[in-house]
Amino acid sequence: MDGRETLRLATRAIRGHKLRSALTVLGVVIGIAAVVTFVTLGASVKADVVGQIDQSAANNIYLLSGPEGGDGPPQAAGPVYTERDLENIRDIEGVDTVVPRGGVRADAVSARNGTVALGANSGSVTATTPAAFDRATFLEGERFERGQSEVVVNEQASALFEENLSVGDGISLTLAGGETANLTVVGVVNRTGTESPFQSFSQQPQFYVPTDPYYDRVVELSDGTEQRAYPQVTVVANPAEVTATKERIEAYFPDSDAAQLQRPGFEPSARTTGDIADSLEELVDRLTRFVTGLALISLLVGAIGIANIMLVSVTERTREIGIMKAVGARNRDVLVLFLAESALLGVVGALIAMPVGVVGGWAAASYADVPLTFVPEWFAIAIVVGVLVGVLAGLYPAWRAASVDPIDALRHE
Amino acid sequence: MPVGPLLRAVATDALTDDETDAVVSLADVSKTYELGGTVTALDAVSLSLPDGSYTAVMGPSGSGKSTLLNLVGGLDTPTSGTVEVDGKRLGDLSEPERADVRGRTVGFVFQTFNLMPRLTAAENVALPLAFQGVDPAERIDRAKQLLDSVGLGDRYDHHPPELSGGQRQRVAIARALASEPAILLADEPTGNVDTDTGEQVMGLLQEVNDEGRTILLVTHERAIAEHADRIVHVRDGEITGIEEV
């Protein structure tokens, strides 16, 4: 029997039971739409995360601490990078700038028109060096100078006060020890460029003060000397050799004070903006695979629905199968006819599922507050999956149909 | 109808003579079923049908007459013995080859019509051709011609439930003839229609036979069996006599 005739007979059989076929298709629609929804959401989240990575941070290498063996995210796990380490790293080939960074514990910030409690968020006062600032990021003013009672704030910090802070304003910082530091605002930035590869990071209010004189975390080395040490360092590398520079820094780590000062189980970690982007993508991919896997369960239920209805159909149409065999249908013809019918249920399900899945993806992306990203190849994949689900679900029922004994079938009521 | 040993011997001799131009021949064919115990539907039956002959197999229900018909039509396979149809030993054929015999060499007409309920009259008639890969336009043309010839020229697009019993049986006969088979197998073709309609159906079968096709008819009614050229009597799976009409 030719393909067109097979398809025509299959279509007619499906139309013969409209409600039943519609409900079976609905099962497939839910399954495939759920998969498309989560794949779309995953792609949208990934595109959003990757889009957040600041391209101007491409040359940055972030030195932090991470669990040994590289399992798990690096973090600022305590002051380990000493002044001596900074000097040595500065001498490594390919290193342009070394920017240390450390938190200054402070309870509150007061300006002439109010006081803002920093409380638990004391990390928002950051001690760093003038090199942390890119001139292009200044909305107003300029960087602070070493050893001066000066502060640079970002836009968000400036907006904490009823009357926005601007250059020339004086603020006083209540330090954790109870002392007060009086500082003059010298610059307002929209971001620093070396703090994190994520633009959204700079949306937190930040106050930047010079490490000298406000940062005083010192550590004692095994030789008894004391050194100022920072939990985190950003290295700006020569754009032509970011990865090579990172490798050279890693090669220096075994000799570094940072390695010696790590908590047990931790080691110094150097990661480029590219590394961070890769591991974030990997993370989003994993989450996407996980939720898509959950959606696949509903697709499996849809497939079972097809198999179930096809088995019912084979039983109901046993007599018709007998008739077809009596007029010359081969087992293969019967098999193909029933397979076509179940494949058709799968394909129709997939076709309906695609727009539903895209709407679902749009809704999920809106809920997750990320812009929608389409994955066009999933339209093709969904159709293939639909056919596959239909064929696989129909295999056993179709085989049952093909192996019906024509004599019994013709006797069947 | 009791048949004496003499008549039986004559019948057997006649079979031997006919074997050369036989289009169907059964040799020592037995069919048993395992249904709680062994049930013998046919017991070492030998019979041959000359080309162009019109034979009725008559017997009470359970006599094995339908089994005989199904074996000739390749719907069933014998437990022992050989069934040869149009030069082919059915036992030697593969499943697709036997399907081909059902589709091309023989045509079935059943008591319960056995039409596909969702197909129109024309599509039902064209169905055997669909399995032979005949072009759709061509097979529908052929189906319409056949429906015309059985007097259903105005019923092409009717579905079986919209047709009377007699009309359905005529559609079934048209379908049985669609692939120009050498042999028409009819299993109680008048069993589900009234007497007048039954006569029309038998008239159609007579026309089919007049065209030169071999007919094997199964019935339990003497009046119907008498339409044939000869009547084979079966009882309890055995041929009890052959009667020329």
Coordinates of all heavy atoms in Angstrom, one line a residue, chain A residues 211-295:
Chain A
T211 N 43.1 51.9 50.0 CA 43.6 50.9 51.0 C 44.5 51.5 52.0 O 44.5 51.1 53.2 CB 44.4 49.8 50.2 OG1 45.4 50.4 49.4 CG2 43.5 49.0 49.3
D212 N 45.2 52.5 51.6 CA 46.0 53.3 52.5 C 45.3 54.6 52.7 O 45.1 55.3 51.8 CB 47.4 53.5 51.8 CG 48.3 54.4 52.6 OD1 48.1 54.4 53.8 OD2 49.2 55.0 52.0
P213 N 44.8 54.9 53.9 CA 45.1 54.3 55.2 C 44.0 53.4 55.7 O 44.1 53.0 56.9 CB 45.2 55.5 56.0 CG 44.2 56.4 55.5 CD 44.1 56.2 54.0
Y214 N 42.9 53.1 54.9 CA 41.7 52.5 55.6 C 41.7 51.0 55.7 O 40.9 50.4 56.3 CB 40.5 53.0 54.9 CG 40.3 54.5 55.0 CD1 40.6 55.4 54.0 CD2 40.0 55.1 56.3 CE1 40.5 56.7 54.1 CE2 39.9 56.4 56.4 CZ 40.2 57.3 55.3 OH 40.1 58.6 55.5
Y215 N 42.6 50.4 55.0 CA 42.6 48.9 55.0 C 43.8 48.4 55.9 O 44.9 48.8 55.6 CB 42.7 48.3 53.6 CG 42.5 46.8 53.6 CD1 41.2 46.3 53.7 CD2 43.6 45.9 53.5 CE1 41.0 44.9 53.8 CE2 43.4 44.6 53.5 CZ 42.1 44.1 53.7 OH 42.0 42.7 53.7
D216 N 43.5 47.7 56.9 CA 44.6 47.3 57.8 C 44.6 45.8 58.2 O 45.1 45.5 59.2 CB 44.5 48.2 59.0 CG 43.2 48.1 59.7 OD1 42.4 47.3 59.2 OD2 42.9 48.8 60.7
R217 N 44.0 45.0 57.3 CA 44.0 43.5 57.7 C 45.4 43.0 57.5 O 46.0 43.1 56.3 CB 43.1 42.7 56.8 CG 41.6 43.1 57.0 CD 41.1 42.7 58.4 NE 41.1 41.2 58.6 CZ 40.2 40.4 58.1 NH1 39.2 40.9 57.5 NH2 40.3 39.1 58.4
V218 N 46.1 42.6 58.5 CA 47.4 42.0 58.4 C 47.4 40.6 58.8 O 46.6 40.1 59.5 CB 48.5 42.8 59.2 CG1 48.7 44.2 58.7 CG2 48.1 42.8 60.7
V219 N 48.3 39.8 58.2 CA 48.5 38.4 58.5 C 49.9 38.2 58.9 O 50.8 38.9 58.5 CB 48.1 37.5 57.3 CG1 46.6 37.6 57.0 CG2 48.9 37.8 56.1
E220 N 50.1 37.1 59.7 CA 51.5 36.8 60.1 C 51.9 35.6 59.3 O 51.2 34.6 59.2 CB 51.5 36.4 61.6 CG 52.9 36.3 62.1 CD 53.0 36.1 63.6 OE1 52.0 36.5 64.3 OE2 53.9 35.5 64.1
L221 N 53.1 35.7 58.6 CA 53.6 34.6 57.8 C 54.4 33.7 58.7 O 54.7 34.0 59.9 CB 54.5 35.2 56.7 CG 53.7 36.1 55.7 CD1 54.7 36.7 54.7 CD2 52.7 35.2 54.9
S222 N 54.8 32.5 58.1 CA 55.5 31.5 58.9 C 56.9 32.0 59.4 O 57.4 31.5 60.4 CB 55.6 30.2 58.1 OG 56.2 30.5 56.9
D223 N 57.4 33.0 58.6 CA 58.7 33.5 59.0 C 58.6 34.6 60.0 O 59.6 35.2 60.4 CB 59.5 33.9 57.8 CG 58.8 35.1 57.1 OD1 57.8 35.6 57.6 OD2 59.3 35.5 56.0
G224 N 57.4 34.8 60.5 CA 57.2 35.8 61.6 C 56.9 37.2 61.2 O 56.5 38.0 62.0
T225 N 57.1 37.5 59.9 CA 56.8 38.8 59.4 C 55.3 39.1 59.2 O 54.6 38.1 59.0 CB 57.5 39.1 58.1 OG1 57.0 38.2 57.1 CG2 59.0 39.0 58.2
E226 N 54.9 40.3 59.3 CA 53.5 40.6 59.1 C 53.3 41.3 57.8 O 54.2 42.1 57.4 CB 53.0 41.5 60.3 CG 52.8 40.8 61.6 CD 52.0 41.5 62.6 OE1 51.9 42.8 62.4 OE2 51.4 40.9 63.5
Q227 N 52.3 41.0 57.1 CA 52.0 41.6 55.8 C 50.6 42.0 55.8 O 49.7 41.3 56.3 CB 52.3 40.6 54.7 CG 53.7 40.2 54.5 CD 54.3 40.8 53.2 OE1 53.5 41.4 52.5 NE2 55.6 40.7 53.0
R228 N 50.3 43.1 55.0 CA 48.9 43.4 54.7 C 48.4 42.4 53.7 O 49.2 42.0 52.8 CB 48.8 44.8 54.2 CG 47.4 45.3 54.3 CD 47.2 46.8 54.3 NE 48.3 47.7 53.9 CZ 48.1 49.0 53.6 NH1 46.9 49.5 53.7 NH2 49.1 49.8 53.3
A229 N 47.2 41.9 53.8 CA 46.7 40.8 52.9 C 45.3 41.1 52.5 O 44.5 41.7 53.3 CB 46.8 39.5 53.5
Y230 N 45.0 40.7 51.3 CA 43.6 41.0 50.7 C 42.9 39.7 50.3 O 43.6 38.8 49.8 CB 43.8 41.9 49.4 CG 44.5 43.2 49.7 CD1 45.9 43.2 49.6 CD2 43.8 44.3 50.1 CE1 46.6 44.4 49.8 CE2 44.5 45.5 50.3 CZ 45.8 45.5 50.2 OH 46.5 46.7 50.4
P231 N 41.6 39.6 50.5 CA 40.9 38.4 50.1 C 40.8 38.3 48.6 O 40.6 37.2 48.1 CB 39.5 38.6 50.7 CG 39.4 40.0 51.0 CD 40.7 40.6 51.1
Q232 N 40.8 39.4 47.9 CA 40.6 39.3 46.4 C 41.4 40.3 45.7 O 41.7 41.4 46.1 CB 39.1 39.4 46.2 CG 38.6 40.6 45.5 CD 37.0 40.5 45.4 OE1 36.3 40.6 46.4 NE2 36.5 40.4 44.2
V233 N 41.9 39.8 44.5 CA 42.8 40.7 43.7 C 42.3 40.5 42.2 O 41.9 39.4 41.8 CB 44.2 40.1 43.7 CG1 45.1 40.9 42.8 CG2 44.8 40.2 45.2
T234 N 42.2 41.7 41.5 CA 41.9 41.6 40.1 C 43.2 42.0 39.3 O 43.8 43.0 39.6 CB 40.8 42.6 39.7 OG1 39.6 42.3 40.5 CG2 40.4 42.5 38.3
V235 N 43.5 41.1 38.4 CA 44.7 41.4 37.5 C 44.1 41.8 36.2 O 43.3 41.1 35.6 CB 45.6 40.1 37.4 CG1 46.7 40.4 36.4 CG2 46.1 39.8 38.8
V236 N 44.6 42.9 35.7 CA 44.2 43.3 34.3 C 45.4 42.8 33.4 O 46.5 43.2 33.6 CB 44.0 44.8 34.1 CG1 43.6 45.1 32.7 CG2 42.9 45.2 35.1
A237 N 45.1 41.9 32.5 CA 46.2 41.3 31.7 C 46.3 42.0 30.3 O 45.3 42.6 29.9 CB 45.9 39.8 31.5
N238 N 47.4 41.8 29.7 CA 47.6 42.2 28.3 C 46.5 41.5 27.5 O 46.5 40.2 27.5 CB 49.0 41.8 27.9 CG 49.3 42.1 26.5 OD1 48.4 42.4 25.7 ND2 50.6 42.2 26.2
P239 N 45.7 42.2 26.7 CA 44.6 41.6 25.9 C 45.1 40.4 25.1 O 44.3 39.5 24.8 CB 44.1 42.7 25.1 CG 44.5 44.0 25.7 CD 45.8 43.7 26.5
A240 N 46.3 40.5 24.6 CA 46.7 39.4 23.7 C 47.0 38.1 24.4 O 47.1 37.1 23.7 CB 48.0 39.9 22.9
E241 N 47.2 38.1 25.7 CA 47.6 36.9 26.3 C 47.0 36.7 27.7 O 47.6 36.4 28.7 CB 49.1 36.8 26.4 CG 49.8 38.1 26.9 CD 51.3 37.9 27.0 OE1 51.8 36.8 27.0 OE2 52.0 39.0 27.1
V242 N 45.6 36.8 27.7 CA 44.9 36.7 29.0 C 45.1 35.3 29.6 O 45.4 35.1 30.7 CB 43.4 37.0 28.8 CG1 42.7 36.8 30.1 CG2 43.3 38.5 28.3
T243 N 44.8 34.3 28.7 CA 44.9 32.9 29.2 C 46.3 32.5 29.6 O 46.5 31.9 30.6 CB 44.3 31.9 28.1 OG1 43.0 32.4 27.8 CG2 44.2 30.5 28.6
A244 N 47.3 32.9 28.8 CA 48.7 32.6 29.1 C 49.1 33.2 30.4 O 49.8 32.7 31.2 CB 49.6 33.0 27.9
T245 N 48.6 34.5 30.6 CA 48.9 35.2 31.8 C 48.3 34.5 33.0 O 49.0 34.3 34.1 CB 48.4 36.6 31.7 OG1 49.0 37.2 30.6 CG2 48.9 37.4 32.9
K246 N 47.1 34.0 32.8 CA 46.4 33.3 33.9 C 47.3 32.1 34.3 O 47.5 31.8 35.5 CB 45.0 32.9 33.5 CG 44.3 32.2 34.6 CD 43.0 31.5 34.2 CE 43.3 30.1 33.7 NZ 42.0 29.4 33.5
E247 N 47.7 31.4 33.3 CA 48.5 30.2 33.5 C 49.8 30.5 34.2 O 50.2 29.7 35.1 CB 48.8 29.4 32.2 CG 47.5 28.6 31.8 CD 47.5 28.2 30.3 OE1 48.6 28.4 29.6 OE2 46.5 27.7 29.8
R248 N 50.4 31.6 33.9 CA 51.7 32.0 34.5 C 51.4 32.3 36.0 O 52.2 32.0 36.9 CB 52.3 33.2 33.8 CG 53.0 32.7 32.5 CD 53.9 33.8 32.0 NE 53.2 34.8 31.3 CZ 52.9 34.8 30.0 NH1 53.4 33.9 29.2 NH2 52.3 35.8 29.4
I249 N 50.3 33.0 36.3 CA 49.9 33.3 37.6 C 49.7 32.0 38.4 O 50.1 31.9 39.6 CB 48.6 34.2 37.7 CG1 49.0 35.6 37.1 CG2 48.1 34.4 39.1 CD1 47.8 36.5 36.9
E250 N 49.0 31.1 37.8 CA 48.7 29.8 38.5 C 50.1 29.1 38.8 O 50.2 28.4 39.8 CB 47.9 28.9 37.6 CG 46.4 29.3 37.7 CD 45.5 28.6 36.7 OE1 46.0 28.1 35.7 OE2 44.3 28.6 37.0
A251 N 51.0 29.3 37.9 CA 52.3 28.6 38.1 C 53.0 29.3 39.3 O 53.9 28.6 39.9 CB 53.2 28.8 36.8
Y252 N 52.7 30.5 39.5 CA 53.3 31.2 40.7 C 52.7 30.8 42.0 O 53.4 30.8 43.0 CB 53.2 32.7 40.5 CG 53.4 33.5 41.8 CD1 54.7 33.6 42.4 CD2 52.4 34.1 42.4 CE1 54.9 34.3 43.5 CE2 52.5 34.8 43.6 CZ 53.8 34.9 44.2 OH 54.0 35.6 45.3
F253 N 51.4 30.4 42.0 CA 50.7 30.1 43.2 C 51.4 29.2 44.2 O 51.4 29.5 45.4 CB 49.3 29.5 42.9 CG 48.3 30.6 42.5 CD1 47.2 30.2 41.7 CD2 48.4 31.9 43.0 CE1 46.2 31.2 41.4 CE2 47.4 32.8 42.6 CZ 46.3 32.5 41.8
P254 N 52.0 28.1 43.8 CA 52.7 27.2 44.8 C 53.7 28.0 45.7 O 53.9 27.6 46.8 CB 53.4 26.2 44.0 CG 52.6 26.1 42.7 CD 52.1 27.5 42.5
D255 N 54.3 29.0 45.1 CA 55.3 29.8 45.9 C 54.7 31.0 46.6 O 55.4 31.7 47.3 CB 56.4 30.4 44.9 CG 57.0 29.2 44.1 OD1 57.2 28.1 44.6 OD2 57.4 29.5 42.9
S256 N 53.4 31.2 46.5 CA 52.8 32.4 47.0 C 52.5 32.3 48.5 O 52.4 31.2 49.0 CB 51.6 32.7 46.2 OG 50.6 31.7 46.5
D257 N 52.4 33.4 49.1 CA 52.0 33.5 50.5 C 50.5 33.1 50.5 O 50.1 32.4 51.5 CB 52.1 34.9 51.0 CG 53.5 35.4 51.1 OD1 54.4 34.5 51.3 OD2 53.7 36.6 51.1
A258 N 49.8 33.4 49.5 CA 48.3 33.1 49.4 C 48.1 31.6 49.6 O 47.2 31.1 50.3 CB 47.7 33.5 48.1
A259 N 49.0 30.7 49.0 CA 48.8 29.3 49.1 C 49.1 28.9 50.5 O 48.4 28.0 51.0 CB 49.8 28.6 48.2
Q260 N 50.0 29.5 51.2 CA 50.4 29.1 52.5 C 49.3 29.5 53.5 O 49.0 28.8 54.5 CB 51.7 29.9 52.9 CG 52.6 29.2 53.7 CD 53.7 30.2 54.1 OE1 53.6 30.8 55.2 NE2 54.7 30.4 53.2
L261 N 48.6 30.7 53.2 CA 47.7 31.2 54.2 C 46.3 30.7 54.0 O 45.4 31.0 54.8 CB 47.6 32.8 54.0 CG 48.9 33.5 54.4 CD1 48.9 34.9 53.8 CD2 49.0 33.5 55.9
Q262 N 46.0 29.9 53.0 CA 44.7 29.4 52.8 C 44.2 28.5 53.9 O 45.0 27.9 54.6 CB 44.7 28.5 51.5 CG 44.8 29.2 50.2 CD 43.6 30.1 49.9 OE1 42.6 30.0 50.5 NE2 43.8 30.9 48.9
R263 N 42.9 28.6 54.1 CA 42.3 27.7 55.1 C 42.5 26.3 54.5 O 42.6 26.1 53.4 CB 40.7 27.9 55.1 CG 40.4 29.1 55.9 CD 38.9 29.2 56.1 NE 38.2 29.6 54.9 CZ 37.0 29.2 54.5 NH1 36.3 28.4 55.2 NH2 36.5 29.7 53.4
P264 N 42.5 25.3 55.4 CA 42.6 23.9 54.9 C 41.6 23.5 53.9 O 40.4 23.9 54.1 CB 42.5 23.0 56.2 CG 42.6 24.0 57.3 CD 42.3 25.3 56.9
G265 N 42.0 22.9 52.9 CA 41.1 22.4 51.8 C 40.9 23.5 50.8 O 40.2 23.2 49.8
F266 N 41.5 24.6 50.9 CA 41.3 25.7 49.9 C 42.6 26.0 49.2 O 43.7 25.7 49.8 CB 40.8 27.0 50.5 CG 39.3 26.9 50.8 CD1 38.7 26.1 51.8 CD2 38.4 27.6 49.9 CE1 37.4 26.1 52.0 CE2 37.1 27.6 50.1 CZ 36.5 26.8 51.1
E267 N 42.6 26.6 48.1 CA 43.8 26.9 47.3 C 43.5 28.2 46.6 O 42.3 28.6 46.3 CB 44.2 25.8 46.4 CG 43.1 25.5 45.3 CD 43.5 24.3 44.4 OE1 44.5 23.7 44.7 OE2 42.8 24.1 43.5
P268 N 44.5 29.0 46.2 CA 44.3 30.2 45.4 C 43.7 29.8 44.1 O 44.0 28.7 43.5 CB 45.7 30.8 45.2 CG 46.6 30.1 46.2 CD 46.0 28.7 46.4
S269 N 42.8 30.7 43.6 CA 42.2 30.4 42.3 C 42.2 31.6 41.4 O 42.1 32.7 41.9 CB 40.7 30.0 42.6 OG 39.8 30.5 41.6
A270 N 42.6 31.4 40.1 CA 42.6 32.4 39.1 C 41.6 32.1 38.0 O 41.7 31.0 37.5 CB 44.0 32.6 38.6
R271 N 40.7 33.0 37.8 CA 39.7 32.7 36.7 C 39.5 34.0 35.9 O 39.4 35.1 36.4 CB 38.4 32.3 37.4 CG 38.6 31.2 38.4 CD 37.3 30.6 38.8 NE 36.6 29.9 37.7 CZ 35.4 29.6 37.7 NH1 34.6 30.0 38.7 NH2 34.9 28.9 36.8
T272 N 39.5 33.7 34.6 CA 39.3 34.9 33.7 C 37.8 35.1 33.5 O 37.0 34.2 33.9 CB 39.9 34.5 32.3 OG1 39.2 33.5 31.7 CG2 41.4 34.2 32.3
T273 N 37.5 36.2 32.9 CA 36.1 36.5 32.7 C 35.5 35.4 31.8 O 34.4 34.9 32.1 CB 35.9 37.8 32.0 OG1 36.4 38.8 32.9 CG2 34.5 38.1 31.6
G274 N 36.3 34.9 30.9 CA 35.8 33.8 30.0 C 35.5 32.5 30.8 O 34.5 31.9 30.6
D275 N 36.4 32.2 31.8 CA 36.2 31.0 32.6 C 34.9 31.1 33.3 O 34.1 30.2 33.5 CB 37.3 30.9 33.7 CG 38.6 30.6 33.1 OD1 38.7 30.1 31.9 OD2 39.7 30.8 33.8
I276 N 34.6 32.3 33.9 CA 33.4 32.5 34.7 C 32.2 32.4 33.8 O 31.2 31.8 34.2 CB 33.5 33.9 35.4 CG1 34.6 33.8 36.5 CG2 32.2 34.3 36.0 CD1 35.0 35.2 37.0
A277 N 32.3 33.0 32.6 CA 31.2 32.9 31.7 C 30.9 31.4 31.3 O 29.8 31.0 31.4 CB 31.5 33.7 30.4
D278 N 32.0 30.7 31.1 CA 31.8 29.2 30.8 C 31.2 28.5 31.9 O 30.3 27.7 31.7 CB 33.2 28.6 30.5 CG 33.8 29.1 29.1 OD1 33.0 29.7 28.4 OD2 35.0 28.8 28.9
S279 N 31.6 28.7 33.1 CA 31.1 27.9 34.2 C 29.6 28.3 34.5 O 28.8 27.5 34.9 CB 31.9 28.0 35.4 OG 32.1 29.3 35.8
L280 N 29.3 29.6 34.2 CA 27.9 30.0 34.4 C 27.0 29.3 33.4 O 25.9 28.9 33.7 CB 27.8 31.5 34.3 CG 28.0 32.2 35.6 CD1 28.2 33.7 35.4 CD2 26.9 31.9 36.6
E281 N 27.6 29.3 32.1 CA 26.8 28.7 31.1 C 26.6 27.2 31.4 O 25.5 26.7 31.2 CB 27.5 28.8 29.7 CG 27.3 30.2 29.1 CD 27.9 30.2 27.7 OE1 27.8 29.3 27.0 OE2 28.6 31.3 27.4
E282 N 27.6 26.6 31.9 CA 27.5 25.2 32.3 C 26.5 25.0 33.3 O 25.7 24.0 33.3 CB 28.9 24.7 32.7 CG 29.0 23.3 33.4 CD 28.6 22.2 32.4 OE1 28.7 22.4 31.2 OE2 28.1 21.2 32.9
L283 N 26.4 25.9 34.3 CA 25.5 25.8 35.4 C 24.0 25.9 34.9 O 23.2 25.2 35.2 CB 25.8 26.9 36.4 CG 24.8 26.9 37.6 CD1 25.1 25.7 38.5 CD2 25.0 28.2 38.4
V284 N 23.8 27.0 34.0 CA 22.5 27.2 33.4 C 22.1 25.9 32.6 O 21.0 25.5 32.7 CB 22.4 28.5 32.6 CG1 21.1 28.6 31.9 CG2 22.7 29.7 33.5
D285 N 23.1 25.4 31.8 CA 22.8 24.2 31.0 C 22.4 23.1 31.9 O 21.4 22.3 31.6 CB 24.1 23.8 30.2 CG 24.2 24.7 29.0 OD1 23.3 25.4 28.6 OD2 25.3 24.7 28.4
R286 N 23.1 22.9 33.0 CA 22.7 21.8 33.9 C 21.3 21.9 34.4 O 20.5 21.0 34.5 CB 23.7 21.7 35.1 CG 24.8 20.8 34.9 CD 25.5 20.6 36.2 NE 26.9 20.5 35.9 CZ 27.9 20.4 36.8 NH1 27.5 20.4 38.1 NH2 29.1 20.2 36.5
L287 N 21.0 23.2 34.9 CA 19.6 23.4 35.4 C 18.6 23.2 34.3 O 17.5 22.6 34.5 CB 19.5 24.8 35.9 CG 20.2 25.1 37.2 CD1 20.3 26.6 37.6 CD2 19.5 24.3 38.3
T288 N 18.9 23.6 33.1 CA 18.0 23.4 31.9 C 17.8 22.0 31.7 O 16.7 21.5 31.5 CB 18.6 24.1 30.7 OG1 18.8 25.5 31.0 CG2 17.6 24.0 29.5
R289 N 18.9 21.2 31.7 CA 18.8 19.8 31.5 C 17.9 19.1 32.5 O 17.1 18.3 32.3 CB 20.1 19.1 31.4 CG 20.8 19.2 30.1 CD 21.9 18.2 29.9 NE 23.0 18.4 30.9 CZ 24.0 19.3 30.7 NH1 24.1 19.9 29.5 NH2 25.0 19.4 31.6
F290 N 18.0 19.6 33.8 CA 17.3 19.0 34.9 C 15.8 19.3 34.7 O 15.0 18.3 34.7 CB 17.8 19.6 36.2 CG 17.0 19.2 37.4 CD1 17.0 17.9 37.9 CD2 16.2 20.2 38.0 CE1 16.2 17.6 39.0 CE2 15.4 19.8 39.1 CZ 15.5 18.5 39.6
V291 N 15.4 20.5 34.4 CA 14.0 20.8 34.3 C 13.4 20.2 33.0 O 12.3 19.7 33.0 CB 13.6 22.3 34.4 CG1 13.8 22.8 35.8 CG2 14.4 23.1 33.4
T292 N 14.3 20.1 32.0 CA 13.8 19.5 30.7 C 13.6 18.0 31.0 O 12.6 17.4 30.5 CB 14.8 19.7 29.6 OG1 15.1 21.1 29.5 CG2 14.3 19.2 28.3
G293 N 14.4 17.4 31.8 CA 14.2 16.0 32.2 C 12.9 15.8 32.9 O 12.2 14.9 32.6
L294 N 12.5 16.8 33.7 CA 11.2 16.7 34.4 C 10.1 16.8 33.4 O 9.1 16.0 33.4 CB 11.1 17.8 35.4 CG 12.0 17.7 36.7 CD1 11.7 18.8 37.6 CD2 11.8 16.4 37.4
A295 N 10.3 17.7 32.4 CA 9.3 17.8 31.4 C 9.2 16.6 30.5 O 8.1 16.2 30.1 CB 9.6 19.0 30.5

